[in-house]
Amino acid sequence: MTVVTAAAALALPGTARAADTVGYPAAPSRGNGVAVPFEGFVGGGGGPAPVGGAVGVDLVLGSTAQPYLPCQHYDQRSRTGDTFVNACQERGSYATFTRFPAGGALVFPHGYFLGDTQPDLVRGGTVNTGWGARAAALSFEFYPEPGRDAEFVHSRFYVDRFTRHANGWTYSADVGRIPLRARTDPGTAHFGGRLTVGGRPPAPGRVSITVFGGSARSSSGYPLSSFAASTGTGAPSWTSTPLYAGSHRITVVDTTTRRQCVLDRLDVRGDTTVDFDLALPGFGHPEGSCTG
């Protein structure tokens, strides 16, 4: 199962005020930590999920405007990073990454809980991170099981308000359940098109494309969005996984030149063609915004 390690980082603007968990204050009034009344995923009719998968949760410290993601602060080569990176289930990526089978029980039947103490997944024992008291936000992202990736929308949602105290925890708004939506369902979108450099296929791995956007609602009415990520395979084309219909932001990165272009598409529904040529201004879209 492919993990999109930069999804939340790309979606959140700004620069963090500190470079480590210990630079952020804790809120003792949160009790045991923060909780999200999110149960998991169901089929379109509310029945068991038709596909297995996983949900990754990014922990955000600081603020939505100036985020710091401790579990993404990790250098694989030196094996160094945040003071508490050993508590991350996916070092360099998610704080937790929870897999579930098709047709099984809800992933979090009693909700998702982030306390102040986590297991040390490297040295053993536990580590007092204070993450529950320090958390500014949590970002949840869904991945279908391998082999079904292209069939289902990769949903995501973001919570940054924890205001209700109950049972020793501080809760966010109710998220409830998320009906899994397939590419063939109404209210979905899909991108694809040519991907070239001066009319020729780019080398494998040269191009990365991420898409964020779309709009849907959970069973409780909580707002959802979606994301897609792909890396060039060496073919002269690209395709996204399914997304919710709506407005989307496409980010294209040429890893060879380090040039990046951002393109917005409004009110997208169904299959939509967007071609890119890395040799052209704006990768073929001069209305886009480019850097590098």
Side-chain angles (χ1 to χ4, degrees):
M1 182 175 296
T2 302
V3 179
V4 183
T5 59
L10 288 171
L12 299 173
T15 302
R17 293 170 298 170
D20 195 273
T21 290
V22 296
Y24 293 93
S29 62
R30 286 184 172 174
N32 296 329
V34 293
V36 180
F38 166 54
E39 297 172 273
F41 306 92
V42 295
V51 63
V55 56
V57 181
D58 261 319
L59 165 65
V60 179
L61 305 182
S63 69
T64 297
Q66 294 183 306
Y68 169 68
L69 286 72
C71 291
Q72 289 194 20
H73 184 196
Y74 179 67
D75 187 324
Q76 182 67 44
R77 294 167 297 181
S78 64
R79 297 191 177 183
T80 58
D82 188 89
T83 296
F84 303 120
V85 73
N86 288 352
C88 302
Q89 290 186 7
E90 297 281 337
R91 287 181 294 173
S93 181
Y94 293 110
T96 64
F97 194 73
T98 308
R99 293 174 172 83
F100 61 92
L106 293 170
V107 190
F108 309 114
H110 304 294
Y112 179 89
F113 296 84
L114 177 69
D116 288 328
T117 302
Q118 282 73 35
D120 187 320
L121 301 174
V122 176
R123 294 186 294 259
T126 59
V127 56
N128 296 320
T129 64
W131 279 346
R134 302 178 201 260
L138 296 172
S139 177
F140 292 71
E141 298 181 332
F142 164 69
Y143 295 86
E145 66 189 43
R148 309 294 299 275
D149 195 65
E151 298 177 43
F152 291 87
V153 171
H154 295 47
S155 62
R156 67 190 309 264
F157 67 90
Y158 188 75
V159 292
D160 61 358
R161 287 178 57 83
F162 304 94
T163 58
R164 181 170 60 87
H165 300 278
N167 305 316
W169 295 82
T170 303
Y171 286 78
S172 71
D174 183 20
V175 176
R177 304 177 180 185
I178 297 178
L180 295 181
R181 197 170 294 180
R183 178 176 174 176
T184 54
D185 290 340
T188 59
H190 171 263
F191 290 96
R194 292 187 57 78
L195 179 63
T196 56
V197 184
R200 297 182 178 182
R206 175 172 173 173
V207 186
S208 69
I209 302 177
T210 56
V211 186
F212 288 97
S215 178
R217 296 280 175 173
S218 71
S219 64
S220 69
Y222 197 84
L224 310 173
S225 62
S226 55
F227 70 98
S230 62
T231 301
T233 63
S237 61
W238 75 285
T239 184
S240 76
T241 50
L243 298 140
Y244 294 130
S247 298
H248 295 82
R249 171 159 290 184
I250 306 172
T251 301
V252 183
V253 179
D254 182 343
T255 61
T256 298
T257 64
R258 299 184 183 277
R259 190 163 177 76
Q260 172 179 294
C261 292
V262 177
L263 182 69
D264 290 332
R265 283 291 182 264
L266 305 179
D267 195 24
V268 177
R269 297 177 181 276
D271 293 337
T272 299
T273 299
V274 181
D275 299 327
F276 293 105
D277 190 317
L278 304 188
L280 297 176
F283 296 158
H285 299 274
E287 75 276 19
S289 175
C290 298
T291 57

